Amino acid sequence: MSNNNRIIYLDIIRIIACLMIILMHSPFKDVDHSSIIISSISYFTAPAIGLFFMVSGTLLLENKL
């Protein structure tokens, strides 16, 4: 058996960032959507790209814990 030194909270952050990116790129129907809802989704998902790349970079570096 190999020693699995995964950092679970980084995996969870990466999963959340992936879901936020999917939400960012998902199309919305044009019926009765308020601009407040659309803009709030846009503001909520904006940090997802940077967050995903930062966590991926952290996981690529060697862990010396």
Side-chain angles (χ1 to χ4, degrees):
M1 296 254 166
S2 65
N3 190 7
N4 190 0
N5 291 331
R6 293 190 69 100
I7 303 172
I8 300 299
Y9 67 88
L10 288 178
D11 290 335
I12 292 171
I13 291 173
R14 188 186 239 185
I15 290 169
I16 291 171
C18 287
L19 292 175
M20 289 169 66
I21 290 172
I22 291 170
L23 181 65
M24 180 189 303
H25 289 102
S26 63
F28 293 103
K29 293 184 179 181
D30 291 334
V31 270
D32 296 333
H33 277 108
S34 173
S35 62
I36 295 172
I37 294 172
I38 293 173
S39 63
S40 64
I41 289 174
S42 175
Y43 286 126
F44 175 69
T45 59
I49 298 168
L51 185 65
F52 182 78
F53 281 116
M54 285 188 285
V55 170
S56 296
T58 302
L59 292 175
L60 287 175
L61 297 174
E62 287 186 22
N63 291 332
K64 295 181 180 180
L65 299 175

